[in-house]
Structure formats: C-alpha cells, structure tokens
Amino acid sequence: MTGQVYRLHSTLELPLETVYDYFEEDPDLPPEIASVDITRRKNTLIISAVADDETISKYTPTAQLKASISETRVYTEEEQELRNGPRWNDDLDEDEEDQEPLGELIEVAAFKGDRETVLQNTAVQYPMFLVLCDLARQAEKGTLTAITEVDGELQATRIVDGEDRPASIEVVEGPNANSSGDSGVNWRDNEFI
C-alpha cells in the first residue's frame, strides 16, 4: 500500500500517560514501521518511526509526530460542581483557605497544527499518519481532519473526540480565471506614488 498525506489539521489533546500506554501495549503498527522511538525534550514529545525497509538509510529522517506538552487540571463531576457553585467569601474559614486546589494536575500531549507541525518528514509518512489516526481514536478531546491519497484515490479522514465521522472531499472553484488582475491596483500607473 502506498499513500501520501496532502492536508492535515489536528487539535488533538491526550493525557501524556495515555500516549505512553498506547505504545507500551504493543499496538498493531503498519507493516512499513518496525517500531517507534519516543523522545521528550522539555515540553515537546517526538514520536519517530523506525522504518522496516532496510533500503532506507539510517541517516534519512523518517516521519515523526510532534506534540507540545503542558499541564492541565482535571476535575471529577463533584469537584466541577463545587467549582461552579456559589462562593461566599464572608464565610471562609482559615482552614478552607489553606485547602489544596480541587482536581488532579496531569500532563497533556497536544498534537495541534497542520501537517508540517504535527507530522514531519516524508519517509514512511503515510504509515505514521495511520499511527496518528489510532492515537486520535484514543483522544477524548480534539479533531483530526486530513486528505490523503491511497493507491491513486483521494480519501478524507475526520476523527472527532475519538470517533470516526463521515468526511468528504469537495472541489471548489479557485480564483476566477477570467479576471486577469484587472480588479487589482495598477502600481505602475498609480499617480499617488
């Protein structure tokens, strides 16, 4: 199977623990990918493909997924109700002021941006896109949309909040070919310059 990714946009957010768990459970990777290397550099997570094809030089950069890591607080339903309830500052005890904040602080991997931001390099790019689709199905928050080509046919992909959704490709007319720049400013004959 050959494929190419033409357009991709992602707003996926996954708990970092979910990303690590996904790869530790030995997922079914596309046959072109032998394994993945996961590297964390400060607030960036890089998931690099290790190609199964031995003809690809070890110096050829293979496709990689890139996510930014940030901390966010997650609340249970009860904690969310307490946060949204009324607050009476007059009735606060000193004990209540010293309480720990509600919720649990977790690290989140955000695969956000267009193709060049999220899915980098071209060697085994389409198989790595399939890995990103599997990760998108694990996400509770975010959207992945893409236009790809597989064996000569265009395909639309749309995954919203972990679920595959119907998607289609619409070809629209571009800029009007009949207007050959007549509506623009003629800079050469502009008397104000």
Side-chain angles (χ1 to χ4, degrees):
M1 169 177 47
T2 61
Q4 186 169 351
V5 180
Y6 289 111
R7 297 183 75 91
L8 176 123
H9 183 75
S10 174
T11 61
L12 299 173
E13 290 185 4
L14 291 94
L16 188 57
E17 187 176 324
T18 301
V19 175
Y20 282 122
D21 289 347
Y22 172 77
F23 288 108
E24 285 176 5
E25 292 172 3
D26 197 27
D28 289 333
L29 297 174
E32 298 89 350
I33 299 176
S35 64
V36 294
D37 289 335
I38 301 175
T39 308
R40 180 175 178 172
R41 294 184 192 139
K42 297 185 182 182
N43 291 331
T44 303
L45 183 71
I46 300 170
I47 303 169
S48 303
V50 176
D52 193 41
D53 186 357
E54 293 179 8
T55 61
I56 296 177
S57 167
K58 65 179 182 176
Y59 300 108
T60 302
T62 55
Q64 62 185 19
L65 302 174
K66 194 171 182 181
S68 60
I69 299 173
S70 60
E71 289 184 338
T72 189
R73 197 166 289 281
V74 179
Y75 302 96
T76 64
E77 287 182 28
E78 297 84 25
E79 291 170 335
Q80 191 65 33
E81 288 175 16
L82 284 173
R83 288 185 68 228
N84 294 337
R87 296 180 183 247
W88 309 105
N89 290 335
D90 301 338
D91 298 336
L92 284 180
D93 294 347
E94 288 182 21
D95 296 338
E96 290 180 10
E97 289 179 0
D98 295 337
Q99 282 184 347
E100 289 186 31
L102 297 175
E104 177 186 359
L105 197 60
I106 64 167
E107 289 183 309
V108 174
F111 296 90
K112 292 187 176 185
D114 294 325
R115 186 184 73 187
E116 294 79 19
T117 308
V118 177
L119 179 61
Q120 302 173 336
N121 303 333
T122 55
V124 297
Q125 185 183 63
Y126 182 75
M128 202 58 174
F129 166 74
L130 297 177
V131 172
L132 179 62
C133 288
D134 287 342
L135 280 173
R137 292 180 184 101
Q138 307 289 318
E140 294 179 8
K141 184 178 179 183
T143 302
L144 174 69
T145 56
I147 297 175
T148 57
E149 174 263 322
V150 180
D151 297 329
E153 290 189 30
L154 290 179
Q155 294 184 352
T157 303
R158 184 170 168 236
I159 303 171
V160 179
D161 298 336
E163 297 179 12
D164 286 272
R165 300 278 173 91
S168 62
I169 299 171
E170 179 181 349
V171 178
V172 295
E173 189 173 324
N176 190 352
N178 295 337
S179 66
S180 59
D182 295 339
S183 63
V185 175
N186 185 350
W187 293 105
R188 292 188 179 158
D189 296 332
N190 191 332
E191 62 188 60
F192 299 108
I193 297 180

